[in-house]
Each structure stands twice: as C-alpha cells, then as structure tokens.
Amino acid sequence: MAFSKNVKFDYFKVYATRYNKEKEVVEEIPCDLSDLFRQLQGIQVTERVYWMGDDQARLQNLECINDKWNLHFVRIRKSDFPIITKDDGTYSYFEDFEDDEGLGEEISALYDPSNYIIMMRRNRFSLSPTAVSNYFTSVINEPGFNVIFRPLIHPRAVELLRKDHLIRSAEISISDIKNARTTTKKSLGQILDKAGDIKESVNIRFKISIEPKGSKKSSRIPIYEEIEEMVNDPNVQKLEVRRKADENSSVEPVDLIQHRLVDYYQFKESDFDTQARNILHETVISRMHTLYRKRVEEINNTYV
C-alpha cells in the first residue's frame, strides 16, 4: 500500500503594533519584514536563536527567490525525548546524544512582501505561528513594537456553500438558546424550544453527519435551507459544514462564520526522503510556491 501524508498550510497577514507618539495611540499596520530578513542573513545561524522555555527556536535558513522569502525554522528539544520502539515488543531510549545535540521539529514558511502574506506549514510539535511572530519581535527589539500574524478570514464565508453542494456533516454551536432567532430554533427542531423553558442561559452543541463507511458518494444531508437561516444569527457561535462540490470531489471543511484560508496537499511516497524518513524542507517549500501562485489572486481580491 502506497504511503502518503496530508499536510495543512495556513495563511496569515503580517501586522505590527507600535506606539504613535503624536496621536498617543497604539497603531496596528501591515508590516514588511524584508529589511529584517536581510539583517538576519548577515547573522550566523548559531546566533539566530530564540528561547521557548527549555527549548530553542532557530532560523535555520532564509533566502529570497523571485521576490519571495523562503524560511526554514527548527524547534530544538534537548529533553522529554520519545522512546524507540521495536516490532518485537521491546523499546529503548535515546542514549548517545551529546550536550550540543537535540531533536529538531521543522517549520517551513513562505513570505510575500508585496502583500505582507506569510504562508506556513508546521509539524505537530514544531513552532506555532505565534512563536514565529514572537521570534521576529525579539530580533527587532524595539520598545512597543510587536509582530502579529492575523489569519486570512473570508468576508462572505456563507457564499462558500451552495445549494447544490453535498453536505456530509454540520457542527453547530449556539449560546443562550432562549435569545436565538425563531428561525434558528425552528431549523434545529422542537427540542430546542423545550430548552427555552429553562430559566437561565443554555448552550447547545449540535452535530449531524453521514456515516462515511458504506455511504454513497452522492449522499447528502438536506439541511441547506436550515443552515442558511441560522448563519446570520449572532447567537450561533459556530457553524461548520463538511461538503463536496459534487460526488467525485473530496470532502472539504467550511466555517460559515469565520472561514480561514488554508490549503491541503497530499504528499506521496516519492516525496519522502529515505534517509530523513520525512519530507524535506526543499520539497515542502517548492510545493508552497505552487500553491501560493494559485491563491495569490484570490488573496488580493477577497481576503486582503
């Protein structure tokens, strides 16, 4: 059976907060990190380190290609190592690490200074986007100056769901059901009306989905109209659906309240490096450039 790995990529717009002495207010403005990156290129890699508790974050490499910056970070662990397991049922420990060695978790990032967008891929145990923005803040080291990554949010997320889509599941969260709109209560059914009799706020979490195993590719949950009624109710805190554009498409998640721009790509076995037993940064960043080129027009016209 061929091996594959589905990887998620997140998009953020880079901002900076700084104190405006003339207006006596803290301003948040788009931030171009290009000057910072050129400064970092002149610093030895051993000095490009940021401490996170007992772990280190290091900017391993950065380069500018076609007016975009490729960034390669590693988070270095020197404690809390995992164990080595064997198929015969035994396990052992990492014993031959020197004091200057550790386990590294990688993160790849692509930065486009033309619209202040940073695209990031990370592993489960690697740096968070906040940790990376804190790294940049620490290098700039200017009082009152902070680098912030804001997720790209679709301004009209409800438009991402159409009536002809095949809705496979929906997850809904409503706060204070008594004060939700009547249409929302009706959409969820009479059981929600009963909750309104309780003399205090009641939160409800509702999830409906088709059982994937054994279901037809054309199966759908016929709740488009109900979802359309609920999406503009301010008491609806969460409204996520998993839908397919048609029966031959993949299932995709859509957050109809606050949809963040993300991409997924399935790396195949041929993308893996046999020595590293992983996907190399060079392979990942190359794919990121391809995905970004397909997204940049949408980003500039919709999300920014």
Side-chain angles (χ1 to χ4, degrees), residues 224-242:
Y224 175 83
E225 287 79 8
E226 288 78 7
I227 287 175
E228 195 175 33
E229 291 286 358
M230 288 186 287
V231 73
N232 293 317
D233 188 337
N235 284 65
V236 178
Q237 302 295 306
K238 180 178 183 179
L239 185 47
E240 295 183 359
V241 301
R242 292 180 62 82

Side-chain angles (χ1 to χ4, degrees), residues 32-67:
D32 185 356
L33 298 172
S34 299
D35 287 343
L36 170 64
F37 294 159
R38 282 188 281 268
Q39 173 189 340
L40 286 166
Q41 282 183 314
I43 300 176
Q44 291 289 333
V45 65
T46 53
E47 302 298 320
R48 298 198 296 250
V49 172
Y50 171 69
W51 284 91
M52 301 172 48
D54 294 331
D55 295 345
Q56 294 179 6
R58 187 170 74 208
L59 179 54
Q60 189 67 32
N61 188 42
L62 72 164
E63 57 182 346
C64 188
I65 298 177
N66 296 327
D67 299 321

Side-chain angles (χ1 to χ4, degrees), residues 166 168 242-253 266:
L166 304 176
R168 303 288 290 187
R242 292 180 62 82
R243 53 94 170 125
K244 302 197 298 182
D246 55 63
E247 64 180 53
N248 295 315
S249 300
S250 299
V251 177
E252 296 179 326
Q266 191 171 64

Side-chain angles (χ1 to χ4, degrees), residues 15 20 40 47 53-54 82 118 128 135 140 158 199 209 219 230 244-247 258 277 281:
Y15 289 90
N20 187 317
L40 286 166
E47 302 298 320
D54 294 331
I118 190 165
S128 67
Y135 176 89
I140 294 172
V158 68
K199 301 184 184 300
S209 64
S219 297
M230 288 186 287
K244 302 197 298 182
D246 55 63
E247 64 180 53
Q258 198 174 46
R277 301 184 183 182
H281 163 72

Side-chain angles (χ1 to χ4, degrees), residues 153-169:
I153 306 297
H154 198 292
R156 302 174 303 280
V158 68
E159 296 177 4
L160 299 174
L161 181 66
R162 301 195 308 270
K163 193 170 184 177
D164 60 344
H165 283 162
L166 304 176
I167 299 174
R168 303 288 290 187
S169 68

Side-chain angles (χ1 to χ4, degrees), residues 5 7 10 50 65 72 102 105 110 112 121 140 147 172-173 199 211 216 233 300-301:
K5 183 176 183 180
V7 175
D10 296 293
Y50 171 69
I65 298 177
H72 184 199
E105 302 287 351
L110 174 65
D112 182 1
R121 176 259 178 169
I140 294 172
V147 177
I172 304 155
S173 180
K199 301 184 184 300
E211 174 59 46
K216 298 178 180 178
D233 188 337
N300 288 323
N301 292 336

Side-chain angles (χ1 to χ4, degrees), residues 57-232:
R58 187 170 74 208
L59 179 54
Q60 189 67 32
N61 188 42
L62 72 164
E63 57 182 346
C64 188
I65 298 177
N66 296 327
D67 299 321
K68 295 176 180 60
W69 289 89
N70 298 341
L71 307 170
H72 184 199
F73 287 88
V74 291
R75 178 179 184 174
I76 305 169
R77 288 191 291 157
K78 296 192 175 183
S79 61
D80 297 324
F81 289 171
I83 61 175
I84 303 172
T85 63
K86 298 181 181 180
D87 290 344
D88 63 4
T90 62
Y91 66 89
S92 60
Y93 300 95
F94 289 95
E95 298 177 347
D96 56 349
F97 275 77
E98 303 294 338
D99 290 341
D100 62 347
E101 294 180 324
L103 292 177
E105 302 287 351
E106 296 180 288
I107 178 172
S108 301
L110 174 65
Y111 175 69
D112 182 1
S114 66
N115 53 18
Y116 316 106
I117 299 298
I118 190 165
M119 177 185 181
M120 301 179 67
R121 176 259 178 169
R122 51 196 168 110
N123 294 325
R124 182 180 177 186
F125 299 107
S126 64
L127 301 175
S128 67
T130 300
V132 175
S133 65
N134 288 342
Y135 176 89
F136 294 150
T137 297
S138 69
V139 175
I140 294 172
N141 194 26
E142 179 181 320
F145 187 96
N146 293 285
V147 177
I148 300 172
F149 294 168
R150 299 288 187 204
L152 296 187
I153 306 297
H154 198 292
R156 302 174 303 280
V158 68
E159 296 177 4
L160 299 174
L161 181 66
R162 301 195 308 270
K163 193 170 184 177
D164 60 344
H165 283 162
L166 304 176
I167 299 174
R168 303 288 290 187
S169 68
E171 188 169 348
I172 304 155
S173 180
I174 301 173
S175 62
D176 192 5
I177 189 62
K178 285 197 306 179
N179 293 319
R181 294 178 179 176
T182 302
T183 52
T184 298
K185 295 181 181 182
K186 182 179 179 181
S187 298
L188 287 176
Q190 293 302 316
I191 189 171
L192 301 185
D193 291 327
K194 295 179 181 179
D197 296 333
I198 300 176
K199 301 184 184 300
E200 54 192 303
S201 295
V202 177
N203 295 339
I204 184 167
R205 190 177 182 88
F206 179 84
K207 184 174 182 179
I208 183 171
S209 64
I210 292 175
E211 174 59 46
K213 186 176 181 180
S215 64
K216 298 178 180 178
K217 294 195 298 182
S218 59
S219 297
R220 73 168 77 204
I221 305 173
I223 55 173
Y224 175 83
E225 287 79 8
E226 288 78 7
I227 287 175
E228 195 175 33
E229 291 286 358
M230 288 186 287
V231 73
N232 293 317

